[in-house]
Structure formats: C-alpha cells, structure tokens
Amino acid sequence: MTWETLAFLLVAGTAFGISGYKFSLLYKVMRAQTGKAPTFKDWGARIGQLFINVLGQKAVLQSRWVGTAHTMIFWGFIVITIGTLEQFAMTLYSGASFEFIGESAYYALIWSQDFFTLLVLVGVLMAAARRYLNPPKYLGQSSDANFVLIFTGSLMVSIFLMNAFHSLGNPWFKEAFFISSGIGNGIASLGFTEEQSHTGFTVFKWIHMLLVLGFAVFIPGSKHLHIIAAGPNTVLKHLPLERGMKSINFEDETVTQYGAAKITDFSWKDALDLYSCTECGRCESLCPAWNTGKPLSPKSLIVDMKKNLHANKAAIIAGKSEEVTPLIDANVTEDVIWACTSCRACEVACPVFIGHTDKIYDARRNLMMMESKFPAEVQPVFKNMETNGTPWAFSASDRANWAQGSDVKTLADIGSATELDAVLWVGCAGSYDDRNKSVLKSFVNVLHKAQIKFAILGTEEQCTGDAARRIGNEYLFQTLAKMNIETLNRYQVKRIITACPHCFNTLKNEYKDFGGDYEVIHHSTYLAKLIAEGRIKPAKEMKETVTFHDSCYLGRWNGIYDAPRTTLGAVKGVNLVEMKQNKETGLCCGAGGGRMWMEETIGDRINVKRTEQAIETGASVVATSCPFCMTMISDGVKTKDKVDAMRVMDIAEIVDQTT
Amino acid sequence: MNLLVCIKQVPDTETKIKLNGDSTGIDPAGIKWIVSPYDEFAIEEALRIKEKNAGSTVTVLSAGPDRVVDALRTALAMGADNAVHVELPESADSFMAAKALAGAIKKEAPAELIFFGKEAIDDGAAQVPQLVAGFLGLPGCTVVCGLEYGSGTVTAKREIEGGSFEKVELPLPAVIAAHKGLNEPRYATLPNIMKAKKKEVKAVKLADIGVSQADQKIKLKNLQLPPPKQAGKKIEGDAATQAKTLVDFLRNEAKVI
C-alpha cells in the first residue's frame, strides 16, 4: 500500500463519511414529512422528462445565456466525473485504469476530459460574467454561489494543470490531452525533469481530489444540493400543466390537521422541492407580487422554508413534532402567504419544477380553516358564498336577472341538458357585475347568431367556489362544488361553456374529485371553433390596435394562449400587438388566488402595472377573456386616466360587434 | 361562570321578502336563514369572556321553529359549548319570545351574563332583551359597544343620541344587548364546525315553561311591503333654475319645507 492509497483512504473516507451523514439527515428529514405526497403514475412520460429537462436541459435553456452556461457545466461535470472516478480508482490501486474499454474508446475518454474541462471553464466564466458584471436583480447575493464558482473554476484549472504534467514525456497522452498538452508545452519550456513533472502531476491530482472531496462535504448543506435533488424533482414533477388543487378528504376522521401549520405538515415531495432550489430567481423575476413591492418572493419563500426545515432538523428526526416551530415565522409572514395571486408564473419559470403555489395553499388552508386567520375583508365574501352562493352581496334569486329579455332558457324550463349543444355556465361576475353582465349578453348574442342550442342553470347555479378554495376555505369550496355537481348531474349535463376562466378551471379540473366529470370549454376556444367552422363570420371591420391580456387561469393553468389570439386575428381590421410580458410570462391582473376579494394595501397595484404595459403597446383596445381581468384592467385604465384612449373589451364583445 | 347568549335566526340581508298568502307574515319558502348580525356580536363577546376566564361555558339559546337549530349550530361552530332550542311558533311576537326565553333560562341555564343582539334585523323591534331582563328581574343595558368585565360587575359602554357614549355599571347577573363595534365576530374554524355537527341541541317545549299562545300579544293582520323605490330625479338647468326646482320639489312634492 502506497502512501497515496493510505492518504486517499483516510481523506476520502472522512469526506464521504461526513457527506454521507449529511445526506442521510436530509433523507431522514424528507421521510419524516407527514403531508400526503401525490401519487406518481405515467412513468413513460417521466423517463421522457429525464431526457428532455434533465439531460436535455430544456427548461434551463429558457434563459439563453446562463442556460447555455449551465448546460456546458452540467454536461462537462457528467463527463469529467468519469475521469474523476478513474482517478479515485487508480489512487486506490494503480492497475485500475479504464483502459480495458479499448484503446480508441479510452482515447476518446481522455480527449473528452480535456474538451469538457474547457467547456465547464467557459461555462463558469460565462456565469461569473453574468453574476459579477451585470447581475439581474432577482439573482440576489449568495455566498454559496461565489463559493461554487471559485470552487468549480479551481477544479477545472487543477484538471488542466494535472493533465498538462501528465502529458509531459508521454506521447500518447500528449496527443489525447489536446488542450492541456499545450499548457504542458509551456511547462516543458521551463525545463522540468521527469521526476519533477511526476511530482507536479501528483500535486495537482491531489489538489483536484481534495477539491472534489471538499465539494462532496459542501454540497448537502448548500444551495448546490440541487445537483442531487433537481434531477429526481424534475422526473417527479406535475406532468400535466392542466391541474386543479389537491383535495382534502373531510370524511377521513383520522385527519386532524388541515393545511400546513408546520414545515413537517408538507409532504416529502415538498421537501425535495426545497432541496432542489438553486436560488436562480427566475420565479421572482416574474412574480406579480414581488414586482409590485409585496413581501412575497417565491424564491425567498422556498429558501425560507428550507431554512425552517434545517432549523428544525433535530426535532424532526427525533420525532418530536411538538418542538417543531411554526411555518409562519419572521421570514414567512402571513402577508407573504396572502400576497400570492396564484398566477403560477413562478412555477412556469422554475427550471427545476418546484411547486410554489401548492405550498402557499397549504399554508392558507391552515390559517383559514384551523386558525381562522385571514384578511378581514374576506369574511363577508365567505358569508355571501355560504348564504347566497356568490361572493357579491346579492340575492341568489336575482342571479338570472341579467338574462331577462335575452331569450335564454333555463334548464328548469327544459328539464334536461341531453338535447342541448352546451350548458352556458354564467358565473357570479356574469350574473351580478354590471360590466360583465354585458359581456355575457354579447356572448349570448353570438351563440344565438351561431344557432347554438344552449341553456343556463339560472337561479340554480352557484359560485364554483374557486376563490374560497384559493383562499384556503376548502370546506366551503367542497360544499359549493357538491351542490353544483348535484344540480349539473341532475340535468345530465355533459358539455359546459363558460366565459370565466376561474369557473372553467374549477369545473374542468377540480370537480372531477367530487363526481363532476364534464367537457368544459372556455368561450375563447368556443368562439375560435365557431369561427373556424364558419358558423359565425366576423366580417364587419374593426379598425383597432388590440392587445390581448392573458388570464392566468386560461394561460398558465390550462395552456390556452392561441385560441383567443386566433379569434381576435379573425376579425377584419384588427391589428394584434403583444405586451412585453405575454403568454407564459404574462403579468397577472392581480385578482387571482382570491386577491379579487382582498384589499391591496402593500406596494404598487398590480392591475396598474399591467395596464401600463398595455398602454406601452399603443393599443386602443385591451382584449380580455376573464371577468376578473376585465374588472382589474378597467380599474387600471381609469387610474391611468386613459378611459378616452383605451377601451377594455371581452373577446366575446369584439366578436359580437363584428358578426 | 355561565355565559348565555340568546340569538334569533333571520332571513339573509339579501333576501327578496315575499308575503305569505293571507298577508299575516312573510313567506319562508326559499329564504336563506342566518344568525342576526347583532347576535353575532353577542356570541363573540361571550366567547371572548369565556376565553379569558378559565372554566366558563357559553350556552346559546334560540326560540323559534325547528329551522333555528341551524343558527344554534352556527353559534356552536363559533365556539359555544351548549345549545338550547326553545320551540316557538313562526308567528310569535317579541313578548311571547321573551317570555319563552326567560322561562327557558330559569329552567335550564342560570347565568351571570346574558347576551343579546340589540335588535333582530328582520322585525327590528329591539324588545326582547329588555323584556327578558324584566321577566328575570335583572338589570340590563342595551346598545352596548364596549364591555369591561370586573369582579361582580360589568361596565358597559353604550351609544346614546348625538354620537355620544355613556358608561353604565351593572351588578351581575345582568343582561347585555350588543351593538356593532363591540367586537369583530370570528369565522368558525373547521375543527369547531365538525364538532358542532355532533353536539346535542337540547329542546325545550313551551308547555314545560308555562308559555302558551295567549302570550302572543300582537297579531299581524295585514302586513304590506314598502312601496317600490322611485327612480331618482335629476334636476337640469343652470344653478338658479336648479335651486328653484329643488325648492319647489321639497315644498310641494316631498312636503318637507
């Protein structure tokens, strides 16, 4: 046994021992999480994710510059690790070379070591240039990041110098190390003896190995943990974009905690989310709350939750749940939790597929249902939903008044939905809010023009419960959902059309859990279909510059970006222009996640910021496809004093006016 | 300490009231019922005193038809411990209701503090708290928007004319009729909603407390809805014309000057 073998056994044993211990704690903490994790199916698609988003780095590459740098570093490390393994093996036993793979393959391996070391070094320099020369604000300051860059850079330099010395006096390696042999030539010119060269090789080999082992100790306690966690997290991500919130089974009497009061109330998958965060800040850069001065940053939320998890590690592992400190603390305040508009811009931007919003909903469910702590102005909204089936303070008996004189039948009139093309779900805004009542009238006009056989539920319709669910009042949501499902099923409703993306999402994705399975079509899709089929023709010219504001519940929640644009594009004379934030990166109007019913007292108003983006386009019309967006953007236009220059219209109104 | 809250179930504030066939009352069909909002202040105040005084219980009473059990469950969900349903016909007036409640209190639940809302928002009579205090021979204070609980006494802050307040000290036991501003009523937590569903609601029959139909002093014979609201009038013209038209209107149509 050489001194090198002995030394390596000692150092590597210690390093892997410490690292392994740290990882085992992380694993134990993850396993001790009590929340219910989702069930993972569809493994074919998950393997696909491994290729697309892990090996393929697709989501990472959404940011071109740093994504390219990351991909270079990522692939570089995979390849270099093969060389490092050989190095470890050969330090233990000098005959353990990977030469057995055949000479040409081994040549390729040695060649690739040099090539990928260069790739990583360039990647590190690109990342460093971004971080130190012109850092985006959302990147933040992180000592971990500085450390990782210096570490990785040093690692690559040590490899080059090690290989350079290795190539001295060794023609085969000199050829294979096509980059470092150049450095070797430079070193050779200094006149090293063969023995000195060998010492040089040994020195840099050990520097390299010590750096690698040091890294192994550093990783589990740092944000660099993502190199272990992000891969699995990507494979285990929510597969379909279209999804509802997870349901609570109130029949299960063994459940005594609803939502998350402590970090341990989340699931192991949530813990894996926390481990995966690299603090890249893409979530923060798009967050409507953060960008208008609210205390919520999705990045900080995840980082702070991770801090909470680490701080409670001992109690969690010891199984002393009563000693675990509350989730709501000095960092994750109630204001942080209530600031979210559930727009999901953070989730769409996240390259490692962290589910930020689920965590916020769990926190809200605890605050709402267990502690009865929520913004005071929401209480009358809940009471209205409970007694009148609408968040607005109007009588349930007035729900169908908007349709008087519009030749709209109710299902009570006709008895069953079986002979209808579709049931029109009006929604509370369409039923009670003056501006949105006229949107519904326009949509009804279009349906009449297209000779669609439809009916409404009239006074039997109730709020879908979307806002109650987003605010955390799952109990009220389920009460409303069950009543609506009972009504819909009683009339044998199969197909529903609606002009409200919130109703659309809830009916389509969230009623399934309670026995409500319907084909649900949002009016933007339905209008596009009617136009495509030639049932309506928007032939009248509308000479306007129009910009379309994406509703989050249509776009990011359900992936519908094209249908409303297709509809608007079909109108003669319309010049469609985009705001600087659109589609996946579109800015929320500020009303989602129950924010419609809360005061916006902190920071700037989100709707005003969005309206400013619309004004920048020079558009004369902002087209919306959501009643809440309609309200928020209309208010924004009034605030900006642009009522004369810019109209806010629903796409149904535009189609109605031009057909 | 026993704390008692008497509540009334009333139609939701958004209800479109319809009269019954013979105009002797309202048609209850299709009405969404709620706890009268002033009674929620009463419940909340009792719960707060209970939370500050270990070992206290809050019992909630409601007199009315079977439907009022829902209102009692709402109060239980907010945190009340016990509930008593005093069976009372739909047509009962304030006197009969007060006599029934007083009877039930004497029979079932003696208390140190008895809370009411200052009035129910359906008939707006504002009679029952004082009548119950009278039947029980207890001191009472109405329109209470602040309460300090001391040893053997309570000090009530009550609103009087002109936006002023007065403070009244009452020996216990006492009757308190709550007004807006006393507190912010809570929203029930889910565990309490679940518990409330399983709690027993005790029933008290009128015969057991010596109340009969003869105690109904007021009988409605011809209840009418208020006339429909007229559309507003916009006065046009220059300032002088507008002033003239307005004075003319106030003098001849509205007859107020």
Side-chain angles (χ1 to χ4, degrees):
Chain A
M1 191 177 278
T2 65
W3 71 266
E4 281 200 60
T5 313
L6 198 65
F8 181 76
L9 279 174
L10 206 68
V11 180
T14 311
F16 283 128
I18 297 170
S19 179
Y21 174 70
K22 284 182 164 184
F23 273 112
S24 76
L25 293 187
L26 290 173
Y27 181 74
K28 279 184 192 164
V29 166
M30 193 166 98
R31 295 300 299 179
Q33 293 296 304
T34 57
K36 194 165 169 271
T39 44
F40 299 102
K41 290 177 289 193
D42 207 356
W43 284 96
R46 297 194 177 281
I47 305 288
Q49 282 300 316
L50 178 69
F51 284 98
I52 298 164
N53 278 318
V54 183
L55 301 176
Q57 298 274 295
K58 186 176 174 231
V60 175
L61 283 163
Q62 278 174 355
S63 291
R64 286 287 158 218
W65 174 262
V66 78
T68 305
H70 186 273
T71 306
M72 287 157 70
I73 298 168
F74 170 80
W75 272 100
F77 259 93
I78 288 179
V79 176
I80 293 166
T81 301
I82 302 170
T84 306
L85 284 175
E86 189 198 25
Q87 184 183 54
F88 284 0
M90 285 179 74
T91 310
L92 285 171
Y93 169 60
S94 59
S97 155
F98 288 179
E99 280 174 38
F100 65 86
I101 60 174
E103 193 185 335
S104 50
Y106 191 62
Y107 183 89
L109 174 67
I110 297 301
W111 184 90
S112 68
Q113 293 301 300
D114 248 24
F115 176 74
F116 281 98
T117 301
L118 180 68
L119 222 54
V120 173
L121 199 56
V122 173
V124 167
L125 290 173
M126 284 167 74
R130 169 175 176 266
R131 183 169 284 273
Y132 302 117
L133 299 182
N134 187 21
K137 221 174 94 194
Y138 58 81
L139 204 53
Q141 298 292 323
S142 155
S143 55
D144 276 8
N146 302 333
F147 191 68
V148 168
L149 285 175
I150 294 167
F151 222 89
T152 315
S154 310
L155 213 50
M156 297 307 115
V157 172
S158 74
I159 292 176
F160 271 144
L161 290 169
M162 171 180 81
N163 292 349
F165 277 107
H166 197 183
S167 68
L168 288 183
N170 191 329
W172 192 89
F173 277 104
K174 193 165 178 157
E175 198 186 318
F177 285 133
F178 71 109
I179 299 166
S180 45
S181 58
I183 306 167
N185 289 338
I187 294 168
S189 67
L190 298 173
F192 282 104
T193 64
E194 195 178 324
E195 200 178 329
Q196 282 170 324
S197 300
H198 187 74
T199 308
F201 167 73
T202 309
V203 166
F204 284 106
K205 181 177 89 172
W206 272 93
I207 289 176
H208 174 247
M209 290 199 301
L210 290 172
L211 284 172
V212 170
L213 295 172
F215 222 31
V217 175
F218 167 75
I219 286 167
S222 75
K223 78 176 187 114
H224 221 50
L225 177 58
H226 86 280
I227 69 167
I228 305 296
N233 208 50
T234 302
V235 171
L236 297 175
K237 81 185 190 89
H238 280 293
L239 280 176
L241 177 75
E242 303 89 352
R243 66 181 169 93
M245 283 170 57
K246 63 181 177 196
S247 302
I248 292 175
N249 179 7
F250 290 115
E251 310 282 303
D252 184 353
E253 291 187 0
T254 61
V255 179
T256 51
Q257 168 66 40
Y258 302 112
K262 296 179 174 188
I263 195 78
T264 41
D265 293 328
F266 292 98
S267 76
W268 64 262
K269 172 62 177 64
D270 291 306
L272 188 63
D273 271 2
L274 304 183
Y275 294 167
S276 302
C277 180
T278 323
E279 303 172 31
C280 74
R282 293 188 196 183
C283 51
E284 186 179 289
S285 76
L286 289 174
C287 177
W290 180 255
N291 285 317
T292 52
K294 315 284 188 288
L296 166 66
S297 146
K299 178 177 85 169
S300 301
L301 174 72
I302 297 298
V303 172
D304 291 336
M305 284 177 66
K306 187 154 78 170
K307 276 185 204 154
N308 185 316
L309 194 68
H310 282 315
N312 282 299
K313 205 158 29 186
I316 295 171
I317 292 170
K320 292 179 179 163
S321 56
E322 69 283 356
E323 286 177 20
V324 177
T325 55
L327 172 70
I328 302 295
D329 58 17
N331 299 318
V332 181
T333 61
E334 288 182 33
D335 281 340
V336 165
I337 297 302
W338 294 118
C340 177
T341 68
S342 77
C343 79
R344 288 181 69 191
C346 50
E347 295 182 353
V348 172
C350 182
V352 296
F353 303 99
I354 291 168
H356 308 75
T357 54
D358 279 347
K359 294 170 189 49
I360 292 171
Y361 304 141
D362 274 336
R364 286 183 176 187
R365 281 174 170 180
N366 173 67
L367 288 173
M368 170 62 232
M369 290 189 287
M370 302 301 291
E371 298 185 33
S372 196
K373 280 186 194 162
F374 51 87
E377 62 272 22
V378 174
Q379 189 158 332
V381 176
F382 286 153
K383 293 227 163 174
N384 289 330
M385 286 186 185
E386 286 165 9
T387 47
N388 294 311
T390 167
W392 276 283
F394 289 109
S395 170
S397 59
D398 288 346
R399 183 174 269 273
N401 289 3
W402 69 274
Q404 279 167 6
S406 294
D407 189 23
V408 176
K409 289 190 174 62
T410 63
L411 277 164
D413 294 334
I414 53 177
S416 159
T418 47
E419 301 292 313
L420 297 175
D421 293 323
V423 166
L424 171 60
W425 185 274
V426 181
C428 301
S431 301
Y432 295 111
D433 176 71
D434 284 341
R435 182 66 190 86
N436 285 298
K437 279 195 245 179
S438 61
V439 171
L440 257 290
K441 283 181 191 159
S442 291
F443 187 44
V444 162
N445 285 345
V446 176
L447 293 176
H448 284 320
K449 287 177 201 171
Q451 296 181 312
I452 303 299
K453 278 188 283 178
F454 71 98
I456 61 171
L457 283 173
T459 54
E460 290 186 272
E461 184 186 290
Q462 299 207 52
C463 173
T464 58
D466 161 78
R469 188 170 227 201
R470 266 73 198 165
I471 298 171
N473 198 342
E474 178 73 6
Y475 186 71
L476 176 55
F477 162 73
Q478 289 193 15
T479 308
L480 291 165
K482 284 171 187 166
M483 287 194 281
N484 280 323
I485 290 166
E486 192 278 319
T487 310
L488 289 165
N489 291 352
R490 180 156 43 83
Y491 288 119
Q492 296 172 279
V493 174
K494 294 277 181 290
R495 179 188 282 172
I496 300 170
I497 48 176
T498 178
C500 173
H502 295 264
C503 298
F504 167 72
N505 182 67
T506 308
L507 292 165
K508 180 172 185 276
N509 300 323
E510 304 197 332
Y511 274 19
K512 284 193 189 105
D513 286 356
F514 311 99
D517 205 348
Y518 317 104
E519 182 195 353
V520 189
I521 309 168
H522 184 255
H523 80 321
S524 57
T525 312
Y526 203 67
L527 289 168
K529 182 173 163 278
L530 293 178
I531 293 169
E533 288 172 355
R535 299 182 75 159
I536 45 169
K537 293 188 182 66
K540 289 179 203 159
E541 194 173 52
M542 180 172 163
K543 278 192 85 69
E544 304 268 11
T545 300
V546 179
T547 188
F548 178 71
H549 163 75
D550 288 281
S551 147
C552 305
Y553 277 72
L554 203 58
R556 278 183 292 259
W557 279 78
N558 287 287
I560 299 172
Y561 298 107
D562 295 335
R565 290 176 170 81
T566 308
T567 304
L568 290 168
V571 177
K572 205 176 150 195
V574 161
N575 171 30
L576 197 59
V577 294
E578 292 290 352
M579 288 183 247
K580 67 180 174 190
Q581 280 184 267
N582 62 70
K583 298 183 182 170
E584 283 90 348
T585 61
L587 178 66
C588 177
C589 72
R595 293 285 329 169
M596 176 76 187
W597 310 105
M598 298 176 203
E599 300 292 338
E600 194 176 347
T601 51
I602 310 173
D604 301 326
R605 295 187 63 88
I606 298 172
N607 63 330
V608 173
K609 191 176 169 77
R610 184 53 164 171
T611 307
E612 284 165 355
Q613 294 186 352
I615 293 168
E616 279 169 26
T617 65
S620 50
V621 171
V622 189
T624 58
S625 60
C626 168
F628 292 165
C629 298
M630 165 65 81
T631 302
M632 297 306 270
I633 305 295
S634 299
D635 283 353
V637 170
K638 279 178 210 146
T639 306
K640 297 301 289 183
D641 206 11
K642 290 279 177 190
V643 179
D644 296 332
M646 197 154 87
R647 282 185 294 159
V648 188
M649 295 177 79
D650 189 275
I651 52 171
E653 293 178 309
I654 294 173
V655 172
D656 183 33
Q657 283 187 13
T658 54
T659 49
Chain B
M1 171 169 46
N2 280 335
L3 301 153
L4 227 147
V5 190
C6 298
I7 63 172
K8 186 175 183 185
Q9 193 189 39
V10 296
D12 180 68
T13 45
E14 306 308 327
T15 309
K16 291 282 170 332
I17 298 292
K18 282 176 281 199
L19 300 178
N20 63 12
D22 53 3
S23 294
T24 56
I26 63 167
D27 177 6
I31 286 181
K32 301 275 185 182
W33 299 93
I34 60 167
V35 175
S36 182
Y38 294 110
D39 297 349
E40 289 190 349
F41 301 121
I43 299 168
E44 179 64 33
E45 196 61 21
L47 293 175
R48 289 187 187 188
I49 294 175
K50 174 193 152 174
E51 282 157 5
K52 281 190 205 129
N53 295 277
S56 303
T57 57
V58 173
T59 302
V60 56
L61 288 95
S62 187
D66 285 347
R67 59 173 165 78
V68 308
V69 171
D70 286 342
L72 290 169
R73 297 243 179 254
T74 304
L76 289 171
M78 285 175 77
D81 302 287
N82 311 303
V84 178
H85 169 211
V86 187
E87 290 169 1
L88 195 70
E90 196 83 60
S91 61
D93 64 354
S94 299
F95 186 88
M96 188 177 181
K99 194 171 175 193
L101 285 168
I105 291 167
K106 266 190 249 172
K107 182 170 184 285
E108 299 290 336
E112 286 185 73
L113 271 170
I114 304 171
F115 288 94
F116 291 80
K118 75 168 175 92
E119 64 179 285
I121 60 152
D122 53 354
D123 58 15
Q127 295 291 310
V128 174
Q130 302 89 300
L131 285 167
V132 169
F135 283 126
L136 296 175
L138 297 179
C141 186
T142 57
V143 208
V144 173
C145 52
L147 199 67
E148 283 164 47
Y149 178 75
S151 81
T153 60
V154 282
T155 310
K157 181 180 157 194
R158 70 187 299 271
E159 201 174 327
I160 53 173
E161 278 72 16
S164 306
F165 297 94
E166 64 180 8
K167 276 196 172 177
V168 180
E169 194 182 84
L170 300 91
L172 296 179
V175 169
I176 300 293
H179 188 29
K180 193 177 176 176
L182 182 59
N183 51 47
E184 286 294 330
R186 70 195 61 192
Y187 190 79
T189 65
L190 191 62
N192 281 349
I193 294 173
M194 299 296 202
K195 272 185 240 159
K197 283 183 181 175
K198 292 179 185 156
K199 276 188 188 163
E200 189 204 359
V201 174
K202 195 168 182 180
V204 172
K205 298 212 179 302
L206 287 185
D208 300 340
I209 48 176
V211 178
S212 70
Q213 198 60 54
D215 291 310
Q216 185 178 337
K217 304 295 180 196
I218 297 170
K219 290 191 178 65
L220 292 174
K221 284 190 176 157
N222 186 16
L223 189 64
Q224 291 297 320
L225 292 173
K229 206 171 142 191
Q230 302 290 317
K233 283 184 187 171
K234 194 176 178 187
I235 300 173
E236 309 273 359
D238 60 28
T241 322
Q242 281 186 28
K244 196 168 177 296
T245 319
L246 181 63
V247 169
D248 183 53
F249 175 81
L250 292 172
R251 182 164 292 149
N252 299 321
E253 264 191 71
K255 296 192 168 95
V256 290
I257 54 171

